[in-house]
């Protein structure tokens, strides 16, 4: 159970910093759209430098922010799962639903941000498109795999719950 406590602490810390980032984004996005001037703040997301000088790039940045909000919601759901695990609630329908929703959040966030950052060179008229398979948490492959992992874990918990219920009936 010590590992569970360490994981919960790390996720809580990640959640805390995510909330700070969300608050900053909620102030920045309206400022960005209401500003008539070019925003000269260099914004680099997953290795892509975004120059905010047109409505298209503002929309791409907004999609990336929305994907981060969805990812942060997935982290929030993960915190709930860990809290239930600490209470020794494991094979429950709530856990199964939360794990599936975490997976969907991570997968949707990964697809949204990767698609937006892939389309950015076309919209910025750069015409130079590059596909990178980076390493780390910003990688599309990693975050989408993490989302699929949580969805598979949800199915495993469903199977385990059914087996547990059958065992309780046969005794």
């Amino acid at each position: 159970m010590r590992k569970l406590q360490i994981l919960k602490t790390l996720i809580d810390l990640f959640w805390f910093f995510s909330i700070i980032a969300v608050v900053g984004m909620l102030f920045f996005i309206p400022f960005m759209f209401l500003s008539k001037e070019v925003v000269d703040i260099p914004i680099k997301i997953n290795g892509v430098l975004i120059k905010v000088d047109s409505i298209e790039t503002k929309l791409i940045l907004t999609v990336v922010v929305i994907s981060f909000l969805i990812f942060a919601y997935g982290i929030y759901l993960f915190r709930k799962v860990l809290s239930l695990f600490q209470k020794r609630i494991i094979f429950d329908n709530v856990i199964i639903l939360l794990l599936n929703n975490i997976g969907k959040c991570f997968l949707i966030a990964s697809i949204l941000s990767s698609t937006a950052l892939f389309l950015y060179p076309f919209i910025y008229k750069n015409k130079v498109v590059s596909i990178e398979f980076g390493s780390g948490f910003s990688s599309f492959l990693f975050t989408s795999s993490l989302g699929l992992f949580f969805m598979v874990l949800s199915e495993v918990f469903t199977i385990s719950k059914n087996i547990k219920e059958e065992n309780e009936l046969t005794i």
Side-chain angles (χ1 to χ4, degrees):
M1 281 306 199
R2 180 94 175 120
K3 293 174 196 155
L4 181 61
Q5 185 59 39
I6 292 170
L7 178 61
K8 177 86 167 75
T9 303
L10 291 174
I11 293 298
D12 286 343
L13 188 64
F14 185 78
W15 172 248
F16 174 74
F17 287 119
S18 295
I19 291 300
I20 292 172
V22 165
V23 169
M25 288 178 201
L26 292 179
F27 283 115
F28 177 72
I29 294 296
F31 168 75
M32 179 183 65
F33 275 105
L34 297 175
S35 175
K36 303 227 188 281
E37 299 175 14
V38 174
V39 179
D40 280 338
I41 301 170
I43 301 171
K44 193 170 190 178
I45 302 172
N46 295 349
V48 177
L49 186 64
I50 297 178
K51 187 174 182 182
V52 185
D53 60 353
S54 67
I55 191 69
E56 292 88 5
T57 56
K58 290 177 182 179
L59 289 174
I60 282 182
L61 193 59
T62 303
V63 169
V64 171
V65 167
I66 289 170
S67 73
F68 177 77
L69 293 173
I70 293 170
F71 188 82
Y73 180 67
I75 295 297
Y76 169 75
L77 295 177
F78 190 39
R79 288 179 69 230
K80 288 174 93 173
V81 167
L82 294 175
S83 295
L84 291 171
F85 282 172
Q86 284 180 329
K87 296 175 186 173
R88 301 206 184 269
I89 300 171
I90 298 188
F91 299 113
D92 192 53
N93 288 332
V94 174
I95 296 284
I96 294 166
L97 183 67
L98 286 173
L99 288 172
N100 194 30
N101 287 341
I102 292 167
K104 288 177 184 175
C105 286
F106 288 176
L107 194 58
I108 290 169
S110 178
I111 290 169
L112 275 177
S113 68
S114 296
T115 303
L117 294 175
F118 178 76
L119 292 176
Y120 174 72
F122 291 116
I123 292 174
Y124 192 61
K125 316 239 183 325
N126 192 352
K127 304 289 186 206
V128 177
V129 177
S130 65
I131 299 175
E132 295 180 21
F133 294 105
S135 61
F137 294 110
S138 62
S139 168
F140 169 74
L141 291 176
F142 178 76
T143 52
S144 57
S145 297
L146 191 61
L148 290 172
F149 170 75
F150 276 103
M151 294 169 80
V152 167
L153 194 60
S154 169
E155 292 177 18
V156 168
F157 271 57
T158 301
I159 292 168
S160 299
K161 181 180 179 264
N162 290 337
I163 290 172
K164 180 183 173 207
E165 288 174 356
E166 287 176 10
N167 280 342
E168 289 174 356
L169 290 176
T170 58
I171 293 177

